[in-house]
Amino acid sequence: MPAPALPFWLALSMVPTIALAAWLGGWWLLLVSAYSIGVLTLLDAVMEHDTSNADPQTQERHLFWHKLVTWVWPPIQFALVFGGLWWATRHAASAAEAIGLMAVIGVASGAVGINFSHELIHQRNRWEPRLGEFLLTMVLYGHFRSEHLLVHHRYVATPRDPVTARYNEGFHRFFPRVLWQQVVSAWQAEAAMLARRGQSALSLRNPMFRYAAASLTFLALAFAIGGWVGVGLFCVQAIVAILHLEMTNYIEHYGLTRRHLGDGKYEHVKPHHSWNANHRASNWFLINLQRHSDHHYKPDRRFPLLQSYDESEAPQLPFGYPVMTVLATCPPLFRRVMNPRVRAWRRRFYPDIDDWSAYKSATNPPPR
């Protein structure tokens, strides 16, 4: 049986935390970051790592309460974003307070909303991926669904994956690169799928148009609530959410590469092509996202069934994502922590490779 579902509802504690911070205003808005980074990190430090594994053959009917947390979040986030926008445009004591409130709401729509959308878009029914789209388009990032499923999972740890952070690549360089490359790769992937069906990329069957329409609808609602100021504040929360997503993407595969077999062929994805973290509290909050090694190895697994790996099977992060995202904001410190681990990973899994220059610069031939 999987672990009890209740701990995975921890992410919903962000809602009363943000509500309290909004009510108190001012510097109290920092309470949200203190909670999402400080408290989770403290709990990770004092609690044992969770290396237990559920039976991956567990039937769906035993996972209802785990799945429910991802189903209830979309309407909660809608209320949080647009309720917060209404409050910010009418009750904030200053422009700085209004911006600060929408920024901390962006922490929730990124750390919780985009993370939950990631779980939802991987499901094989029709309605859960649409819930995931709802969350993604609320932060103006609907194309992530196409890019993640059609490009990232197929080409992870190869030069063709924009989201795999290169060795020595700082987040300040990674972030602007992936912003445009993901849009391009998502469009190209959808266009290629339509071409195989004999349809144009400009067909309304291209989901990129659906993502754009949904995002424009949310922008129109923001305008209706607060005019152009409301649109600007809505974009603040979207930008913060996207920053959270891309910091996570940056961490998950930093410096890791698949072996090039020659002629544009690469080895299959294995657990050691993603960083793993068994930190208990942050895995509760992030619904096991840090068990990323197993997610890429078996993308169809629901989050309660994701397996833990030890150092012999997958590289291990020294801290949970809350600390790692803070480190990512300081490239020299991040490299000091992570580069020795990347080099140790190379020695463990690829002792026969002597020249890593093409892997580090992502100049190996793109996969066919």
Side-chain angles (χ1 to χ4, degrees):
M1 293 294 288
L6 184 59
F8 293 108
W9 288 65
L10 178 63
L12 270 66
S13 61
M14 287 288 282
V15 177
T17 304
I18 291 173
L20 176 62
W23 179 261
L24 296 173
W27 291 102
W28 283 102
L29 292 170
L30 294 176
L31 177 67
V32 179
S33 293
Y35 173 69
S36 62
I37 297 175
V39 173
L40 288 178
T41 299
L42 178 62
L43 289 174
D44 276 343
V46 300
M47 300 176 77
E48 289 184 344
H49 285 191
D50 180 14
T51 58
S52 62
N53 286 321
D55 180 358
Q57 302 304 317
T58 301
Q59 296 180 357
E60 287 272 316
R61 60 188 177 88
H62 295 302
L63 303 177
F64 173 78
W65 292 104
H66 297 84
K67 296 184 290 184
L68 185 62
V69 68
T70 64
W71 300 343
V72 302
W73 180 258
I76 290 174
Q77 180 171 307
F78 181 85
L80 191 64
V81 169
F82 291 101
L85 184 60
W86 179 87
W87 181 273
T89 53
R90 289 161 176 80
H91 297 289
S94 64
E97 186 172 300
I99 293 170
L101 174 57
M102 295 309 294
V104 299
I105 290 174
V107 172
S109 54
V112 182
I114 295 182
N115 183 32
F116 283 19
S117 77
H118 170 255
E119 174 73 11
L120 291 164
I121 63 175
H122 270 284
Q123 306 315 313
R124 293 189 174 275
N125 55 50
R126 289 182 61 85
W127 66 275
E128 283 183 281
R130 289 301 178 92
L131 271 184
E133 277 186 35
F134 179 80
L135 291 170
L136 289 169
T137 53
M138 208 184 304
V139 296
L140 311 179
Y141 226 57
H143 63 275
F144 175 79
R145 178 188 177 185
S146 295
E147 202 283 335
H148 185 79
L149 298 178
L150 302 179
V151 181
H152 176 59
H153 269 271
R154 184 175 182 181
Y155 300 117
V156 65
T158 74
R160 194 166 172 180
D161 177 34
V163 177
T164 298
R166 293 30 166 159
Y167 183 76
N168 270 337
E169 183 178 29
F171 181 73
H172 64 295
R173 297 185 187 278
F174 172 85
F175 184 60
R177 176 176 67 77
V178 299
L179 281 181
W180 69 269
Q181 285 186 355
Q182 284 192 83
V183 175
V184 172
S185 63
W187 177 271
Q188 290 175 339
E190 292 292 356
M193 286 188 65
L194 288 166
R196 288 193 291 271
R197 300 171 189 164
Q199 296 178 346
S200 167
L202 299 179
S203 165
L204 291 181
R205 291 184 178 274
N206 189 333
M208 298 288 283
F209 295 115
R210 186 172 71 238
Y211 308 150
S215 291
L216 287 172
T217 301
F218 286 126
L219 287 167
L221 180 55
F223 182 83
I225 292 173
W228 290 112
V229 171
V231 171
L233 291 173
F234 176 83
C235 289
V236 167
Q237 71 83 29
I239 291 168
V240 172
I242 293 166
L243 272 168
H244 268 74
L245 166 64
E246 297 306 348
M247 281 185 174
T248 302
N249 279 336
Y250 176 72
I251 293 161
E252 287 171 339
H253 306 281
Y254 174 80
L256 305 183
T257 53
R258 282 193 269 161
R259 183 193 295 272
H260 180 227
L261 303 176
D263 195 28
K265 296 180 181 178
Y266 288 80
E267 65 178 315
H268 292 299
V269 178
K270 299 176 183 177
H272 64 260
H273 294 125
S274 306
W275 291 96
N276 186 70
N278 294 319
H279 299 78
R280 189 181 296 267
S282 48
N283 264 328
W284 285 343
F285 186 86
L286 296 170
I287 58 170
N288 276 345
L289 180 65
Q290 299 174 144
R291 292 190 168 192
H292 210 62
S293 298
D294 196 51
H295 170 66
H296 269 273
Y297 187 50
K298 299 290 184 182
D300 292 337
R301 278 184 183 157
R302 294 271 187 180
F303 77 85
L305 307 183
L306 290 173
Q307 305 293 288
S308 168
Y309 292 96
D310 62 25
E311 291 182 356
S312 67
E313 300 168 294
Q316 305 293 311
L317 289 174
F319 309 103
Y321 284 9
V323 173
M324 295 306 301
T325 54
V326 173
L327 290 178
T329 64
C330 181
L333 182 57
F334 186 85
R335 287 194 291 267
R336 183 174 181 177
V337 170
M338 291 302 296
N339 282 9
R341 288 173 167 81
V342 175
R343 293 192 292 268
W345 171 85
R346 292 172 183 166
R347 291 191 296 270
R348 176 183 291 274
F349 294 102
Y350 300 100
D352 57 307
I353 298 179
D354 297 319
D355 184 4
W356 285 91
S357 56
Y359 290 95
K360 290 191 291 186
S361 59
T363 54
N364 274 326
R368 295 188 304 175

